[in-house]
Amino acid sequence: MNRTLFAAVSAIALVGLTACGENQKAGAPGGTSGILAVGSSTVFPFASRVAENFSRTSDGAAPRVESLGTGGGIQRFCEGVGQGTPDIANASRPMKKSEFELCQKNGVTDIVEIKIGFDGIVIATARTGESMNFRLQDLYLGLAKETPGAGGAFVANPATTWNQVNPGLPGQRIQVYGPPPTSGTRDAFLELGMAPGAKLIPALAAVDEADGDRFETLAHTLREDNGWIDSGENDNAIVQTLTRTPGSLGVFGFSFLEQNMDTVKPLTIDGIAPSADTIADGSYPLARSLYIYVKKQHVGVTPGLKEFVMEFMSDASAGRGGYLQDRGLVPLPADELAAQRAIVTAMTPMASPQ
């Protein structure tokens, strides 16, 4: 089954299922649902696959999985404890300190952070498109809202074609489809691509030295003139757009690339292509970790919650050769997987992010 069909079927099947009456959260009269996981569109297909498998091997209802984006999912997760609040937040970046503090403020005081594996952020084009090799600074110079101008000023990005950014790139129009601000993929692209690329430009490095807040604004603000186009939380939609828009590029997770290699291809960064090996060893510049956050206060209250998380982190699921690797997840090394599994077993709450 292709990835698009799988995601659609999973979304319909899992979101449509509700728990039986006995699967109510304690202290929540009239509750109707069992396990609920919300958040990252990148983690969505992995969580959906685990939910599908878990529903076949347990007596409870299938966990529901909703794709809201990392930011939107954590926001809902942090709304409180009990009926109607998620048990799990799926995330394609670490939880921010501000998000952790929001959780604490709303009574979500025990949060278990679990790293489930690795993914990479891919810059891709249609299979028939021209191959390109970006330097990290090309990402900033091509996609930032403002770039260095004359006399040390920052001006609206004047580049309209990639060869204006770097003569070694083709003269095709700068048109990149990517995730919106609520997406962890967007956050990770800014942190792993745009900001490091900006620091390689002397004028931006000077700003970083003098005023870190100003640097972050410059490095994290994407252009709004259709050079960068927000395309919603559905990475499959971006993949499909590339095949319909010659010369366009897309930014999405490695797992989506793996499932669509017949229609799109990755572009290299500093000469390195995204692969399971280059993501796992960190040599690919846009490699990242993926997470789930579990509400410990719901363990023992939401039936099957801990068992579901244990299934998520089992060898059969998240281990090397497991069924999530078949879906595009890059597995953790065996010792790191064991360490994460120990966190699940003990349900060890995380400390506040720094």
Side-chain angles (χ1 to χ4, degrees):
M1 181 183 295
N2 66 39
R3 186 175 195 85
T4 303
L5 182 57
F6 172 82
V9 170
S10 296
I12 293 169
L14 295 173
V15 175
L17 287 170
T18 56
C20 298
E22 66 269 23
N23 283 356
Q24 298 177 358
K25 293 182 176 69
T32 58
S33 63
I35 299 166
L36 173 61
V38 300
S40 167
S41 62
T42 300
V43 179
F44 172 79
F46 305 134
S48 296
R49 179 66 180 85
V50 178
E52 185 181 66
N53 193 72
F54 184 75
S55 69
R56 290 198 301 262
T57 58
S58 69
D59 295 329
R64 295 182 299 144
V65 184
E66 298 178 4
S67 177
L68 307 176
T70 294
I74 292 178
Q75 182 79 20
R76 277 196 61 191
F77 178 83
C78 290
E79 286 176 354
V81 176
Q83 180 185 16
T85 66
D87 305 288
I88 295 171
N90 300 324
S92 55
R93 58 159 173 80
M95 180 178 283
K96 299 176 182 178
K97 183 177 182 181
S98 60
E99 293 167 334
F100 182 86
E101 290 172 347
L102 176 64
C103 270
Q104 302 296 305
K105 177 182 176 181
N106 291 335
V108 185
T109 54
D110 294 316
I111 305 167
V112 182
E113 179 184 70
I114 304 157
K115 185 188 296 186
I116 64 168
F118 303 111
D119 183 39
I121 299 170
V122 172
I123 303 173
T125 191
R127 292 294 310 176
T128 55
E130 190 162 357
S131 296
M132 302 168 67
N133 177 47
F134 290 104
R135 305 169 303 173
L136 272 179
Q137 58 264 47
D138 296 337
L139 302 181
Y140 174 82
L141 291 171
L143 297 174
K145 182 176 181 179
E146 295 184 348
T147 55
F154 285 84
V155 299
N157 194 331
T160 58
T161 59
W162 284 110
N163 63 346
Q164 293 172 344
V165 168
N166 175 355
L169 296 174
Q172 67 190 44
R173 179 174 53 156
I174 297 174
Q175 185 178 27
V176 179
Y177 293 87
T182 54
S183 171
T185 298
R186 162 85 156 247
D187 292 337
F189 178 71
L190 297 176
E191 291 289 345
L192 299 174
M194 294 288 288
K199 290 179 181 180
L200 296 173
I201 300 166
L204 271 296
V207 173
D208 186 33
E209 183 72 22
D211 186 345
D213 289 341
R214 171 66 172 151
F215 171 82
E216 183 170 344
T217 297
L218 289 167
H220 286 199
T221 305
L222 295 167
R223 58 195 304 172
E224 300 169 349
D225 58 357
N226 290 322
W228 172 278
I229 303 167
D230 287 344
S231 299
E233 293 288 357
N234 187 346
D235 289 355
N236 279 304
I238 299 176
V239 170
Q240 293 162 17
T241 296
L242 300 186
T243 63
R244 297 193 302 261
T245 313
S248 66
L249 310 182
V251 173
F252 47 83
F254 174 71
S255 59
F256 287 86
L257 172 72
E258 286 233 304
Q259 298 297 320
N260 292 280
M261 287 293 285
D262 57 331
T263 57
V264 297
K265 64 182 179 181
L267 306 178
T268 58
I269 300 175
D270 291 334
I272 301 172
S275 69
D277 289 339
T278 60
I279 289 170
D281 67 20
S283 60
Y284 179 64
L286 303 187
R288 60 175 172 175
S289 300
L290 301 178
Y291 301 86
I292 60 174
Y293 291 91
V294 180
K295 199 171 287 179
K296 185 175 180 179
Q297 289 145 292
H298 284 191
V299 173
V301 177
T302 300
L305 177 58
K306 185 172 182 179
E307 291 77 11
F308 173 68
V309 179
M310 289 295 291
E311 167 66 21
F312 214 130
M313 300 307 294
S314 68
D315 282 327
S317 173
R320 190 163 298 278
Y323 59 76
L324 292 185
Q325 186 173 1
D326 290 340
R327 293 290 173 192
L329 183 74
V330 177
L332 297 170
D335 58 344
E336 193 169 352
L337 178 60
Q340 294 300 308
R341 194 177 291 132
I343 291 173
V344 174
T345 300
M347 279 288 150
T348 306
M350 66 184 288
S352 174
Q354 299 302 310

